[in-house]
Amino acid sequence: MKIACLGGGPAGLYFAISMKLRDPNAEIVVIERNKPDDTFGWGVVLSDETLTNLAANDPVSAAAIRSHFAYWDDIAVHFKGTKTVSTGHGFCGIGRKQLLMLLQERARELGVELRFQTHVESVAAYAEEYDLVVAADGLNSRARSEVATEFEPDIDVRACKFVWLGTHQKFGDAFTFIFEETEHGWVWAHAYQFDNDTATFIVECSAETWEKFGFGEMSQQESIEVCQRIFAKHLDGHALMTNANHIRGSAWLSFPRVLCKRWSYRNIALLGDAAATAHFSIGSGTKLALESAAALAELVHTEKTLETAFARYEDERRTEVLRLQSAARNSLEWFEDVERYFELDPVQFNYSLLTRSQRISHENLRLRDKAWLENAEGWFQEKAGAAQGTRRAPMFAPFRLRDMELKNRVVVSPMAQYKAVDGTPTDWHLVHYGERAKGGAGLLYIEMTCVSPEGRITPGCPGFYAPEHEVAWKRIVDFVHTETEAKICAQIGHSGRKGSTRVGWEGTDKPLKNGNWPVLSVSDLPWSSENQTPRAMTRADMDLVRDQFVAAAEMADRCGFDMLEIHAAHGYLLSSFITPVTNNRTDEYGGSLENRMRYPLEIYHAVREIWPENKPISVRISANDWVGEKGVTPQEAVEVAKMFQQAGVDICDVSAGQTTELARPVYGRMFQTPFSDRIRNETGMATMAVGNIYEPDHVNSILLAGRADLVCLARPHLTDPYWTLRAAASLGDTVEAWPDPYLPGGDQIRRLAERAAEMAAQDRVV
Ligand SMILES: Cc1cc2nc3c(=O)[nH]c(=O)nc-3n(C[C@H](O)[C@H](O)[C@H](O)COP(=O)(O)OP(=O)(O)OC[C@H]3O[C@@H](n4cnc5c(N)ncnc54)[C@H](O)[C@@H]3O)c2cc1C
Ligand SMILES: Cc1cc2nc3c(=O)[nH]c(=O)nc-3n(C[C@H](O)[C@H](O)[C@H](O)COP(=O)(O)O)c2cc1C
């Protein structure tokens, strides 16, 4: 078999080696435009685990690489004059040049022809001459562009600018991040040692800062001088160096995230950065290139045809590549948005940095560096007002809003039960909410409770509009206050165009089979073609509904609720004012955001007027309509939250979606938390995160990273009212108390958790 590898980077060389090992008779040539030692870049990060995988493919090159590894265990973060070090991270690195030299040597030894200083002009010519062409020509792959109609690349050029430099300054055994504030904005460095006397020093900043410095117009040497000045106190007089002299211009880059719909066409396969890139901040590009090269060689060797080999290559490698790309995207977005986090305390900033890719969880950090994590937990507790020296998980930190004191940060999110009769809560509600209040969460929400009969979503929704409602709710609130330490929040709302629909299990948002009542909304747009057309509200309607909100809030106060939430999310009445997908008014309540917010703010002010000064009010919003620029975007949600914040709202409950049938949400673990993070850290407003958060680890990491102040769990509380107390048992927390009659059960679950933890620790030692 005649094989051409276009590009002599890690991917091309390692494929050639892996193929030659399997098929010594194959004629393999690697074609590289540069000279053998003419390589851009400094060190690359790999891991012991990657090398173990590679050793199974070729023990010789793996051993050679391992013998040149520099190991380091710590991550050091320099931020606002502090240096924070955590340990247990276990990286290793090698010079890129060294790596390529070792791979070149191994390839030569196996009989691969290495043809340097040869520029590939056209992949088509090689595809004619060779049986197999492996296009491993890097992130700007010419082969990929030439056959773009087949590979369908999707290239997303990211916002930050970076330059890959080196230095002889020592960073010891720490992967080091340095953040420096300059006259033109923040600039940061990712630095790590990769041999005895050289370290990689990648300098990065926002495009805006880069423009202000004028880096684009500078020569490489001029850029370096500016960077040396910025990082002078970390360089101890050592110079920053470039080895990209073969590149004309400044050598600053914008990272292109490359995805390709297909990785093969006829006898050509894309490999390494040509097929998919992973941002350098998670250091996995070389790992992906090497592992994919070995996999492709194995399949080409074992499969009967190239076609089936390529099909399996794409199938088997794509999942792993997408997994790493997703972590890389989280990480690069963190750096793109890093200016948002500069107000954080260094401890929290560091935690946020360490958990940015969402691959490292709270408990995973404990395994890496218990002392550091406990210290961070102590900092969190103290800041929350707990007694000095408290060492408990962040979810068990107290929280205060006005005079309401919560014993912990877990919230039972509002969930419609559809069990009310004519708006009156029943014994179902007493038992349901009673159980959840006993379950340990600091704050318990009742479901959306409607301000009028027409404002109900379904006939099973409860209300705050008749005397019997007040009696029934008061009974529930009294139980919660008498028997538990939980605080209880009333969510009040009006269904708008999503009203007069069936109870959840008979078809969410479907109109009633009979007995429909007329519905109101901001505009006369129905929820769907099946639903009735609402009447667009007149000013008189607005006055009426505002007064209904006020009366409902008064009733909630008389019932003894500790907190009130105005429901302005999920496409119900107030939400439909805010979002342009439902609001097409041309008066002062439609058009600009200021106009769209006018009525929801009017409601808030009217309610705040009568709601006791010492009790907090929250607003729930949909921070993303999931329809792109046509609707509310996470960016616009920051403005929405800011307007509520300026009006005096105490906390923003950050949900998303359900505002239009056209929404295309992107689900996943904690998928709405980034919206809360953004609002909290761009406005300074307290927030609650919600949405597919189901493990104690999620809650703790959201809180300690400063992505929210409270964490709401809905569905997990449907199946387990005792979610919080179980979490306490699993984390070894003995302070959270089970209700007295349940103490024996609590003791048992704690002992079982301790035993499970001991066994897990033993497994780790073995
Ligand atoms: C700043 C930075 C830091 C990084 N840090 C890390 C890290 O710490 N760890 C890590 O694992 N990865 C890191 N990476 C990523 C890593 O360098 C790449 O993912 C990896 O090199 C991919 O290997 P490759 O062989 O596919 O591409 P490349 O290494 O880019 O190799 C492609 C080769 O093809 C050659 N070539 C291109 N076009 C032609 C042509 N027309 N004719 C002939 N030859 C051609 C090029 O000269 C080059 O030698 C980093 C990348 C950057 C930009
Ligand atoms: C059965 C059910 C009923 C819900 N009812 C309400 C409600 O009345 N008010 C509200 O704001 N959200 C309501 N939600 C949304 C939840 O509060 C929460 O935002 C959503 O379920 C995502 O959280 P989770 O992934 O923890 O379930 C409801 C969710 C469920 C599952």
Side-chain angles (χ1 to χ4, degrees):
M1 194 179 210
K2 277 183 72 183
I3 302 173
C5 296
L6 311 184
L13 287 168
Y14 202 64
F15 176 81
I17 292 167
S18 307
M19 199 63 227
K20 200 75 182 160
L21 280 169
R22 287 167 174 82
D23 183 357
N25 295 325
E27 269 180 50
I28 307 181
V29 59
V30 174
I31 295 162
E32 167 59 47
R33 64 183 170 192
N34 293 332
K35 290 188 241 144
D37 58 352
D38 184 18
T39 172
F40 172 52
W42 296 87
V44 294
V45 185
L46 289 168
S47 68
D48 255 338
E49 187 199 342
T50 303
L51 254 224
T52 307
N53 295 343
L54 297 179
N57 180 57
D58 177 25
V60 177
S61 58
I65 295 169
R66 183 166 270 134
S67 70
H68 286 86
F69 260 168
Y71 285 89
W72 64 96
D73 223 18
D74 297 353
I75 294 183
V77 182
H78 295 261
F79 175 60
K80 290 188 181 168
T82 62
K83 178 184 177 189
T84 319
V85 181
S86 57
T87 193
H89 301 289
F91 298 101
C92 28
I94 182 168
R96 179 175 155 97
K97 195 162 172 175
Q98 181 70 60
L99 173 70
L100 291 180
M101 293 300 195
L102 294 173
L103 294 178
Q104 287 171 15
E105 200 179 304
R106 177 69 174 143
R108 261 192 223 100
E109 177 186 301
L110 290 169
V112 174
E113 182 193 344
L114 302 181
R115 206 178 289 163
F116 291 100
Q117 293 179 276
T118 309
H119 209 284
V120 173
E121 298 297 342
S122 157
V123 68
Y126 287 91
E128 284 284 305
E129 189 185 337
Y130 290 84
D131 301 314
L132 167 63
V133 176
V134 174
D137 49 350
L139 53 81
N140 295 316
S141 171
R142 173 177 282 261
R144 187 183 65 220
S145 329
E146 196 179 316
V147 197
T149 47
E150 298 301 327
F151 297 131
E152 292 192 50
D154 167 2
I155 299 168
D156 180 10
V157 179
R158 304 302 309 202
C160 287
K161 293 281 184 183
F162 69 93
V163 60
W164 200 351
L165 303 172
T167 178
H168 292 311
Q169 165 66 328
K170 296 251 190 283
F171 292 95
D173 54 2
F175 191 116
T176 302
F177 293 101
I178 308 168
F179 294 85
E180 284 296 328
E181 191 169 14
T182 73
E183 65 277 28
H184 297 310
W186 287 79
V187 184
W188 53 95
H190 313 234
Y192 52 92
Q193 207 75 34
F194 63 84
D195 65 24
N196 280 342
D197 51 21
T198 331
T200 295
F201 199 93
I202 302 169
V203 179
E204 194 180 14
C205 62
S206 70
E208 198 187 338
T209 299
W210 183 80
E211 291 281 352
K212 284 190 190 154
F213 269 109
F215 281 131
E217 289 79 54
M218 290 182 198
S219 67
Q220 290 189 44
Q221 205 43 47
E222 286 165 339
S223 271
I224 282 178
E225 278 160 24
V226 175
C227 293
Q228 279 172 183
R229 182 169 54 73
I230 296 171
F231 295 103
K233 62 175 179 286
H234 303 278
L235 291 171
D236 271 348
H238 290 282
L240 290 175
M241 307 176 286
T242 177
N243 62 5
N245 291 325
H246 57 291
I247 292 184
R248 267 174 285 132
S250 74
W252 285 83
L253 301 168
S254 306
F255 182 79
R257 195 275 290 120
V258 175
L259 293 173
C260 288
K261 201 158 189 184
R262 280 174 291 281
W263 292 346
S264 61
Y265 171 62
R266 294 195 176 149
N267 59 344
I268 308 169
L270 289 180
L271 184 65
D273 275 7
T277 57
H279 191 246
F280 57 85
S281 61
I282 66 157
S284 293
T286 306
K287 163 193 160 73
L288 278 183
L290 297 175
E291 290 179 349
S292 290
L296 180 61
E298 175 66 13
L299 291 164
V300 168
H301 180 63
T302 51
E303 287 293 315
K304 286 206 173 67
T305 65
L306 279 186
E307 198 184 346
T308 55
F310 288 171
R312 281 194 57 193
Y313 162 61
E314 297 203 18
D315 208 39
E316 289 169 21
R317 289 300 298 163
R318 202 173 274 278
T319 313
E320 170 67 1
V321 168
L322 286 177
R323 205 177 54 79
L324 272 173
Q325 280 191 320
S326 156
R329 191 195 57 233
N330 292 338
S331 175
L332 78 84
E333 282 177 356
W334 190 90
F335 282 102
E336 285 176 354
D337 297 329
V338 68
E339 305 207 359
R340 182 189 294 163
Y341 305 114
F342 287 141
E343 291 306 312
L344 296 179
D345 180 279
V347 177
Q348 195 155 42
F349 181 83
N350 196 3
Y351 184 95
S352 175
L353 171 62
L354 294 178
T355 52
R356 69 192 182 281
S357 73
Q358 293 182 22
R359 284 193 303 182
I360 301 178
S361 71
H362 191 76
E363 291 310 313
N364 192 260
L365 272 178
R366 198 184 308 280
L367 292 177
R368 290 172 185 226
D369 190 343
K370 191 163 181 264
W372 182 86
L373 189 76
E374 285 183 357
N375 195 39
E377 289 183 338
W379 167 86
F380 189 86
Q381 291 284 349
E382 261 176 52
K383 194 167 154 277
Q388 231 189 346
T390 303
R391 290 283 182 275
R392 300 180 69 198
M395 65 192 278
F396 302 121
F399 188 65
R400 189 190 174 100
L401 281 172
R402 298 203 184 212
D403 281 356
M404 184 183 75
E405 285 186 34
L406 303 179
K407 65 174 175 149
N408 63 46
R409 306 291 183 111
V410 184
V411 179
V412 178
S413 200
M415 279 179 289
Q417 297 298 298
Y418 312 108
K419 286 286 212 176
V421 177
D422 294 330
T424 309
T426 63
D427 283 356
W428 174 274
H429 296 86
L430 176 68
V431 173
H432 171 77
Y433 290 119
E435 277 300 286
R436 272 121 201 107
K438 287 192 287 171
L443 180 62
L444 165 71
Y445 267 75
I446 59 162
E447 65 211 89
M448 170 162 137
T449 300
C450 309
V451 300
S452 66
E454 307 76 38
R456 286 176 304 164
I457 311 167
T458 75
C461 290
F464 274 133
Y465 52 83
E468 54 277 23
H469 301 167
E470 187 169 331
V471 174
W473 280 124
K474 187 165 185 323
R475 182 168 169 239
I476 293 168
V477 174
D478 285 349
F479 175 86
V480 170
H481 286 158
T482 312
E483 297 292 355
T484 80
E485 292 176 85
K487 298 289 188 271
I488 182 161
C489 175
Q491 188 188 54
I492 57 172
H494 186 297
S495 53
R497 69 176 189 162
K498 289 172 91 175
S500 188
T501 51
R502 295 179 215 169
V503 299
W505 50 89
E506 287 179 5
T508 306
D509 301 327
K510 296 244 177 272
L512 293 172
K513 289 186 181 134
N514 42 55
N516 281 290
W517 61 82
V519 298
L520 282 178
S521 186
V522 60
S523 305
D524 58 356
L525 302 170
W527 166 254
S528 78
S529 55
E530 266 186 86
N531 295 67
Q532 60 175 298
T533 300
R535 189 175 86 235
M537 285 172 88
T538 61
R539 185 56 240 187
D541 291 327
M542 288 188 208
D543 288 347
L544 178 72
V545 171
R546 182 200 54 218
D547 294 347
Q548 290 168 341
F549 266 94
V550 170
E554 284 171 333
M555 188 180 284
D557 180 39
R558 288 195 300 274
C559 293
F561 282 95
D562 303 290
M563 174 176 167
L564 191 74
E565 176 165 286
I566 298 174
H567 198 336
H570 302 169
Y572 298 116
L573 185 70
L574 300 184
S575 155
S576 63
F577 270 84
I578 300 173
T579 167
V581 295
T582 40
N583 182 340
N584 65 6
R585 292 177 83 104
T586 51
D587 61 4
E588 69 265 40
Y589 300 100
S592 67
L593 180 63
E594 197 190 350
N595 283 357
R596 287 182 271 128
M597 286 290 289
R598 197 179 302 279
Y599 187 58
L601 284 169
E602 180 182 330
I603 299 275
Y604 166 71
H605 284 299
V607 164
R608 183 72 262 181
E609 190 83 345
I610 59 84
W611 187 250
E613 188 58 31
N614 63 332
K615 293 190 195 179
I617 298 188
S618 137
V619 173
R620 181 169 258 211
I621 62 167
S622 281
N624 191 349
D625 286 333
W626 301 110
V627 291
E629 297 296 320
K630 285 191 225 116
V632 172
T633 58
Q635 191 180 348
E636 193 178 50
V638 174
E639 298 309 311
V640 171
K642 227 184 252 172
M643 289 162 102
F644 281 125
Q645 178 190 30
Q646 279 159 6
V649 169
D650 298 293
I651 188 164
C652 186
D653 183 356
V654 188
S655 187
Q658 299 174 51
T659 52
T660 163
E661 277 205 309
L662 304 174
R664 294 289 170 267
V666 182
Y667 294 114
R669 200 164 37 110
M670 304 186 269
F671 71 115
Q672 296 172 160
T673 301
F675 313 139
S676 159
D677 180 340
R678 185 163 187 172
I679 289 173
R680 183 177 190 274
N681 292 304
E682 288 187 14
T683 67
M685 187 180 198
T687 62
M688 301 191 228
V690 65
N692 219 13
I693 299 165
Y694 46 86
E695 286 180 3
D697 224 26
H698 301 161
V699 178
N700 287 327
S701 65
I702 289 170
L703 292 168
L704 197 34
R707 309 180 83 200
D709 296 277
L710 294 175
V711 181
C712 307
L713 289 83
R715 289 165 297 169
H717 278 116
L718 281 183
T719 48
D720 185 2
Y722 295 90
W723 189 92
T724 305
L725 289 174
R726 280 185 206 277
S730 74
L731 294 171
D733 185 283
T734 49
V735 184
E736 287 298 311
W738 288 78
D740 290 342
Y742 299 173
L743 284 174
D747 282 347
Q748 184 189 41
I749 204 170
R750 187 170 41 75
R751 274 198 311 277
L752 290 173
E754 279 168 7
R755 204 174 305 153
E758 275 163 24
M759 282 165 72
Q762 276 170 9
D763 283 352
R764 274 199 299 280
V765 172
V766 173

